[in-house]
Amino acid sequence: MSKKSSHTRDLFVSKFGVIAAAAGSAVGLGNIWKFPYITGIYGGGAFLFVYLGFIVLIGLPVMLSEFAIGRRSRSNAFGAFKKLAPGSSWKYVGMLGVAAAFMILAFYGVVAGWSIDYIVKALSNSFASKTPGELESLFINFTELPLIPVLYQLFFMVLTMAIVIVGVKDGIEKYAKFLMPLLVVIIIVLGIRAITLNGASEGLKFLFYPDFSKLTAEGVLSALGHAFFSLSLGMGTLITYGSYINDKNNLSKTAVQVTLADTVIAILAGIAIFPAVFAFGIEPGKGPGLVFITLPNVFQQMPGGYFFSILFFLLLTVAALTSSISILEVVVAYFKEELKIKRKTATIISTVLISIVGVFCSLSMGILGDYKLFDLNFFDLLDWISANMLLPLGGLFISLFVGWYLGKDLVQNELSKGSLVIKSLLNVFIFLVRFIAPAAIAIVFLNGIGLLRFG
Ligand code: TRP
């Protein structure tokens, strides 16, 4: 799916390849693990409503901006700013992205490790005839262990490293192309089983009925942070992928398709989880264990549940892998191009450093759980800082860069490659990246951390 162009940069050949790679990055633990658990914490429907608003008004324009910056500069996230804005400070936006990537991958690997352990648990039929309470203990007792979760996490990091060394584009995308649709099918099957459980309607009501009285300033900030996290925005992942996109490709259409796929999959995951949460009497605000505790209950209650559970955690791990490689790639590209280290060495060094930080994330679920800052353990702290601070900040700068620095003519020129640009839509886009996205991000952020208070 990639070919060398005459100037030796890789390019995606097929339009589907572009979408598969970008969607592979976007769809991951964010959709299936994080979206349901934070929706549960922040009260359901109203959170979903605000999240969807941010996806359309901020996520989509920032994604298009990242693609445009990447294709225009044909270089990695850091180099892109150096090339398009030589001698300026914009390159530090790239640096911010490297820091975010580092933190995200540290805890991402922990959760992916849980998913691998759950493949093993599924294989050994460990969910059978357990009560919801026992399934909860199963999760908690496991994640509190000092050694086993760390080993699975390191195993996942090695897999990620191996793929990034061998080359992201040639191998994994081929598999992602049919494994991801399969994951979607399984989530739909799970959803059907979940909504036919006794008491399921409460869960659908929780997810879709917006009760705005439950919404807090922190909830709104988390919705914004998660819009960035789930779409892989704000740290240059999609700048890098954009740099591989062919000039014949229609960037706007690609951005809409990726955004749509990512959002639909998150909602499907919600439909599979919340009806079951209520049917089994689980607390929706349970936190990071929500998916791992809830779904085994559903597997028990369905024909072929044994096979579905194996397949589900296997595909979840693959989905995590197609995302984790896109996160590591940002760090590697920086090490390689800015510090002039060979690709293989850069990949190994960054994986080792990230894994060390990741081990502390894993341990903070158990033996290091008492060390807290702002009432968050290390795992939650890295998640919070990266998703709710660094990504929105990155998104703010990216939208300002496209709206004000690059400007309308250049953007029009870039977007009109491979497609007809509709004037009115272009104007809407420019308006969004110039004013709406930066203002909304600034307000939501200041409000969320309590520096500004609305209501
Ligand atoms: N979007 C992925 C998910 O939902 C995670 C991810 C991949 C990511 N690349 C990223 C998050 C870049 C933020 C920025 O699981």
Side-chain angles (χ1 to χ4, degrees):
M1 67 163 287
S2 65
K3 80 168 188 241
K4 294 277 179 202
S5 69
S6 52
H7 36 281
T8 75
R9 260 189 86 76
D10 275 346
L11 285 179
F12 292 121
V13 175
S14 72
K15 289 187 180 155
F16 190 70
V18 176
I19 295 167
S25 167
V27 176
L29 297 171
N31 307 61
I32 294 156
W33 159 74
K34 196 172 171 192
F35 170 74
Y37 110 64
I38 59 174
T39 303
I41 287 183
Y42 294 113
F47 177 85
L48 174 63
F49 186 87
V50 173
Y51 171 71
L52 293 177
F54 287 148
I55 290 280
V56 175
L57 288 180
I58 301 177
L60 191 55
V62 171
M63 182 180 290
L64 188 53
S65 300
E66 289 206 22
F67 280 156
I69 293 172
R71 189 166 75 179
R72 189 72 183 187
S73 64
R74 293 245 174 266
S75 76
N76 74 80
F78 193 83
F81 288 101
K82 284 214 296 199
K83 211 159 175 180
L84 297 178
S88 71
S89 304
W90 285 103
K91 59 176 181 289
Y92 296 114
V93 178
M95 207 90 111
L96 200 70
V98 176
F102 204 95
M103 291 186 193
I104 290 174
L105 194 50
F107 71 83
Y108 207 85
V110 175
V111 182
W114 298 345
S115 180
I116 297 177
D117 179 79
Y118 267 61
I119 301 174
V120 179
K121 282 192 173 41
L123 277 168
S124 60
N125 210 8
S126 309
F127 310 134
S129 56
K130 286 206 168 55
T131 62
E134 286 168 338
L135 288 169
E136 180 173 353
S137 313
L138 188 74
F139 175 79
I140 293 176
N141 293 341
F142 160 67
T143 51
E144 284 183 349
L145 291 175
L147 188 62
I148 314 231
V150 169
L151 293 180
Y152 282 121
Q153 174 205 359
L154 295 179
F155 177 63
F156 179 82
M157 293 303 296
V158 169
L159 282 180
T160 303
M161 179 180 82
I163 295 171
V164 172
I165 289 178
V166 173
V168 171
K169 283 190 257 37
D170 290 323
I172 191 130
E173 306 300 350
K174 273 189 217 121
Y175 299 102
K177 266 187 213 173
F178 79 94
L179 290 177
M180 287 304 102
L182 193 59
L183 177 64
V184 174
V185 171
I186 292 193
I187 297 172
I188 291 174
V189 172
L190 279 172
I192 292 172
R193 176 64 274 219
I195 56 178
T196 49
L197 288 166
N198 256 341
S201 58
E202 267 309 293
L204 291 176
K205 189 171 161 222
F206 179 86
L207 179 61
F208 292 116
Y209 177 77
D211 175 359
F212 287 101
S213 67
K214 289 186 184 162
L215 210 59
T216 58
E218 194 190 319
V220 175
L221 175 58
S222 293
L224 177 69
H226 189 63
F228 283 106
F229 186 92
S230 193
L231 294 174
S232 297
L233 298 177
M235 58 170 235
T237 295
L238 296 187
I239 293 180
T240 313
Y241 278 15
S243 75
Y244 304 132
I245 297 180
N246 204 299
D247 277 348
K248 294 195 200 75
N249 202 284
N250 181 338
L251 291 184
S252 322
K253 202 166 140 197
T254 305
V256 170
Q257 284 165 330
V258 172
T259 303
L260 208 59
D262 187 74
T263 308
V264 167
I265 292 177
I267 292 176
L268 287 175
I271 294 175
I273 286 168
F274 285 107
V277 163
F278 283 84
F280 295 110
I282 296 166
E283 157 65 34
K286 203 146 222 78
L290 189 69
V291 177
F292 293 92
I293 294 166
T294 307
L295 288 183
N297 287 293
V298 182
F299 294 128
Q300 273 186 12
Q301 303 275 330
M302 61 197 281
Y306 175 73
F307 293 100
F308 275 116
S309 63
I310 299 169
L311 211 52
F312 174 80
F313 288 111
L314 199 65
L315 294 173
L316 181 60
T317 307
V318 175
L321 209 49
T322 58
S323 300
S324 63
I325 52 177
S326 78
I327 306 174
L328 184 59
E329 184 68 30
V330 172
V331 183
V332 168
Y334 171 76
F335 272 36
K336 184 176 136 236
E337 289 172 27
E338 301 308 316
L339 309 178
K340 309 272 178 267
I341 306 173
K342 275 209 217 78
R343 177 172 193 87
K344 191 171 168 187
T345 322
T347 311
I348 294 173
I349 294 176
S350 30
T351 306
V352 169
L353 292 176
I354 292 168
S355 301
I356 293 173
V357 179
V359 168
F360 287 96
C361 284
S362 181
L363 296 180
S364 76
M365 303 302 291
I367 55 174
L368 299 183
D370 290 336
Y371 296 92
K372 289 192 172 178
L373 199 63
F374 308 117
D375 210 30
L376 299 171
N377 67 20
F378 190 55
F379 179 107
D380 293 329
L381 189 69
L382 286 194
D383 185 353
W384 205 94
I385 293 176
S386 53
N388 294 356
M389 290 178 77
L390 299 185
L391 299 182
L393 207 58
L396 173 75
F397 288 129
I398 287 165
S399 55
L400 289 175
F401 185 72
V402 167
W404 297 95
Y405 188 90
L406 293 185
K408 190 169 159 185
D409 291 346
L410 191 145
V411 170
Q412 178 171 11
N413 174 289
E414 191 54 46
L415 295 186
S416 62
K417 294 175 183 165
S419 70
L420 275 175
V421 168
I422 302 167
K423 262 267 151 47
S424 54
L425 282 181
L426 178 73
N427 288 335
V428 172
F429 170 67
I430 293 290
F431 183 70
L432 287 174
V433 289
R434 270 201 181 160
F435 303 106
I436 301 296
I441 294 170
I443 292 170
V444 169
F445 180 71
L446 294 174
N447 188 39
I449 60 169
L451 282 181
L452 254 180
R453 269 287 178 239
F454 293 102

